Amino acid sequence: MRKIKSLSIRLPLILILSYIVLMVFTITVVFQRFEKRMLEDYTRMAKGATQLMADAIDGDKVDEYIEQNFASEEYRKISDYLASIQENYPDTLYVYVYRIQEDGGHVVFDIDSEGKEDADEPGAVYPINEPFYSQISNIMKGEETPAYTVHSHEGEYLLSYIRPVFDSKGNYACSACVDFSMDRMHEKDFDFVLPTLGMVGILILILVSFNILLIHRTVSAPINRMVECSHNFNYETENDRFKNVQTLENLNIKTGDEIEELYQTFTSVMKESLYYMTNFNRAQIDIRTKNERIDEISATAYKDALTGVGSKAAYKKALKEIDGDIFYESAEIAIVLADVNNLKYVNDTFGHEYGDAYLVGCCNLLKSVYANSDIYRVGGDEFIILLRGSDYKNREELLKKARELYQNAHANESANPWERYSSSIGMAEFETGDTNAEMIVKRADTAMYVEKTKFRAKHGSYR
């Protein structure tokens, strides 16, 4: 399909068709003009021949010619003279003299195609064919008629001309007639046209070949080179794009016309694209690097370094989201507040290293219970858990489980003091009338404080 649409094929085809149309038009015009000229020449010859015939015939002796015919010496001389006229005028088929009357043409002289006496006797009557039949009255008046092309009974194509012959009183006596062969004239036309057509064809073939070579060299070949080059382009890497431009520049098309301008424009566009893509890729790398750095900074800012849970900054951001849900009254959330017990005791007694381990252990216990919720460290020894989804639905069971785990860990006297984890936990959930998350947090803090008071009353306080 690509070859059919190729410019290197379509342009020569258009050129060849144009030359063929031009050649046919030229030959047709030449043929018509040549045929017209031949008709004019044959008409002039017909007038000249019939004038000679009319001059040789005595109009007062027409009846005598018919009656005596070949018995008369004068008749024989005139017949020979008419035969010589036939021989000396090329392409003359018939030379004859008829007296035209209503019933047809009465033979006075009739010379065959070889210039001899015709077998028909003078006085024989021949029917008059069209278009002369409609001119009989004018012919009998002695009026001259124009030359006509006619078809004979034998199927011959003729140019016929009739000239009136008058007697001494100026009356119509007979008509001198000649028939020229139009078939021979057409043969001459073709004898002229065919060699002309051959020469024109050879000339057109030379011109077409030259133009095709010129088109191929200056148009289709450079374009095909660019097309083939573009088909081999790769765009996966920056090095591929650089090679694309280098390959295109190596074509070095120098035609000095629009093709070269197109090539230069194409090359410039490829260079600009390479420059743009290079800068674009570098910008993407810079943006990616900055985003990764921002992500690292954000992760550091929103993650507690010691426990791995959310930081206070992340907690504040989460509260804003909860405030949005509360605004649209679509909040299904509970907040758990856990305050670590005895952290100061561990720090003061065993050092901050063990205090950090104790804090991490307390946090891990919360993680094990609230595995589906976000946990935040909002103070040195304070954690907040935002319960959603399944943890929200199971909030009471999870709160009970967390308290039991802390109670069991604290009651385990066989464990190291920094492994006897303990926290006071309070929980509150969204209620109608809450306008922000802090209202829920305050109720959770109150509930936590109740638990903290119970713990101090039972185990004492060491802050």
Side-chain angles (χ1 to χ4, degrees):
M1 182 62 69
R2 178 175 170 271
K3 290 184 177 180
I4 295 177
K5 293 184 177 180
S6 174
L7 192 64
S8 60
I9 293 179
R10 286 190 295 172
L11 281 179
L13 282 178
I14 293 173
L15 186 63
I16 291 171
L17 290 175
S18 300
Y19 275 122
I20 290 175
V21 171
L22 178 61
M23 182 179 69
V24 171
F25 175 78
T26 302
I27 294 301
T28 301
V29 172
V30 170
F31 182 83
Q32 290 176 346
R33 291 179 63 87
F34 184 77
E35 183 172 4
K36 182 180 178 181
R37 180 63 179 270
M38 290 289 290
L39 285 173
E40 292 174 354
D41 292 343
Y42 273 55
T43 300
R44 283 195 296 270
M45 287 192 294
K47 290 181 178 181
T50 53
Q51 184 63 60
L52 293 176
M53 293 168 62
D55 292 341
I57 296 171
D58 187 347
D60 294 330
K61 297 181 178 180
V62 171
D63 290 333
E64 182 181 334
Y65 294 151
I66 294 174
E67 292 175 2
Q68 297 182 6
N69 55 70
F70 290 102
S72 169
E73 183 180 354
E74 182 179 0
Y75 185 90
R76 291 195 301 270
K77 288 181 179 181
I78 294 173
S79 294
D80 292 339
Y81 179 71
L82 296 180
S84 66
I85 292 176
Q86 182 183 29
E87 291 177 356
N88 288 290
Y89 278 85
D91 302 329
T92 304
L93 278 183
Y94 304 110
V95 173
Y96 51 96
V97 178
Y98 284 0
R99 174 187 285 171
I100 306 300
Q101 295 182 341
E102 292 291 344
D103 59 345
H106 294 250
V107 176
V108 180
F109 295 93
D110 195 352
I111 311 300
D112 64 13
S113 59
E114 296 181 357
K116 299 178 181 180
E117 298 88 348
D118 195 272
D120 294 319
E121 294 291 334
V125 180
Y126 283 99
I128 305 299
N129 298 328
E130 288 291 352
F132 293 106
Y133 181 79
S134 58
Q135 300 289 330
I136 286 180
S137 60
N138 295 330
I139 294 173
M140 293 174 62
K141 293 177 184 178
E143 295 179 0
E144 188 174 353
T145 58
Y148 290 103
T149 55
V150 297
H151 289 278
S152 68
H153 293 293
E154 291 79 13
E156 296 171 314
Y157 188 36
L158 307 172
L159 174 70
S160 297
Y161 182 74
I162 298 176
R163 179 184 291 276
V165 178
F166 302 98
D167 59 17
S168 58
K169 296 180 179 180
N171 297 319
Y172 170 76
C174 59
S175 296
C177 312
V178 291
D179 291 335
F180 287 93
S181 173
M182 291 295 292
D183 293 326
R184 293 182 183 176
M185 186 189 76
H186 284 159
E187 290 177 3
K188 291 184 176 181
D189 290 348
F190 284 113
D191 289 342
F192 168 77
V193 170
L194 290 178
T196 303
L197 181 62
M199 289 187 293
V200 171
I202 293 173
L203 178 61
I204 288 178
L205 182 61
I206 294 173
L207 291 176
V208 167
S209 301
F210 174 76
N211 287 329
I212 289 175
L213 291 175
L214 185 62
I215 289 173
H216 176 73
R217 180 178 179 181
T218 60
V219 179
S220 59
I223 291 178
N224 287 338
R225 290 169 63 194
M226 286 189 284
V227 171
E228 293 298 328
C229 180
S230 65
H231 286 166
N232 295 322
F233 283 171
N234 292 315
Y235 301 92
E236 295 181 1
T237 65
E238 183 174 338
N239 188 49
D240 288 336
R241 291 188 288 271
F242 177 78
K243 288 182 178 179
N244 294 343
V245 174
Q246 193 174 37
T247 302
L248 190 61
E249 287 181 329
N250 289 338
L251 294 179
N252 195 28
I253 294 175
K254 300 290 185 182
T255 58
D257 53 19
E258 291 84 356
I259 302 299
E260 181 180 349
E261 186 176 350
L262 176 63
Y263 164 70
Q264 295 294 344
T265 302
F266 188 24
T267 305
S268 298
V269 170
M270 288 294 295
K271 287 182 178 179
E272 291 175 3
S273 298
L274 174 62
Y275 175 77
Y276 169 78
M277 291 302 298
T278 301
N279 290 340
F280 178 74
N281 289 337
R282 290 175 181 174
Q284 278 191 321
I285 294 173
D286 290 343
I287 292 172
R288 190 181 303 114
T289 302
K290 290 179 181 178
N291 286 338
E292 291 174 355
R293 181 59 181 162
I294 290 172
D295 291 340
E296 291 176 0
I297 295 172
S298 298
T300 302
Y302 289 108
K303 187 175 182 179
D304 180 62
L306 178 63
T307 62
V309 297
S311 67
K312 189 173 183 178
Y315 164 69
K316 289 182 177 180
K317 181 180 179 183
L319 285 187
K320 291 181 180 179
E321 296 177 358
I322 296 173
D323 288 343
D325 293 338
I326 291 174
F327 179 80
Y328 291 104
E329 297 183 353
S330 60
E332 282 192 351
I333 187 169
I335 295 177
V336 173
L337 195 150
D339 189 85
V340 175
N341 298 317
N342 295 331
L343 177 62
K344 182 174 176 56
Y345 165 74
V346 175
N347 281 330
D348 292 347
T349 305
F350 304 104
H352 286 281
E353 181 179 353
Y354 288 99
D356 289 344
Y358 177 71
L359 191 62
V360 170
C362 291
C363 179
N364 289 338
L365 192 147
L366 291 174
K367 289 180 181 180
S368 67
V369 176
Y370 297 103
N372 301 318
S373 298
D374 296 325
I375 303 175
Y376 303 92
R377 184 185 178 194
V378 296
D381 56 0
E382 191 173 52
F383 296 91
I384 286 182
I385 306 101
L386 305 181
L387 306 185
R388 294 178 182 274
S390 61
D391 283 2
Y392 171 77
K393 293 179 181 179
N394 302 318
R395 57 191 178 279
E396 295 295 342
E397 291 85 351
L398 294 177
L399 177 63
K400 182 179 178 181
K401 180 179 179 181
R403 285 174 176 173
E404 288 178 352
L405 289 175
Y406 276 125
Q407 288 174 3
N408 294 335
H410 186 265
N412 183 12
E413 295 181 356
S414 63
N416 292 316
W418 56 85
E419 294 176 342
R420 298 174 62 186
Y421 308 122
S422 177
S423 292
S424 298
I425 304 175
M427 184 179 71
E429 59 190 63
F430 171 75
E431 297 177 355
T432 303
D434 288 340
T435 57
N436 55 59
E438 282 296 334
M439 297 179 70
I440 307 174
V441 174
K442 287 180 181 180
R443 290 200 301 273
D445 184 69
T446 301
M448 182 276 297
Y449 187 75
V450 171
E451 293 295 316
K452 178 73 75 173
T453 301
K454 291 179 182 180
F455 181 83
R456 289 176 181 175
K458 184 175 181 179
H459 300 287
S461 175
Y462 186 94
R463 303 291 297 171

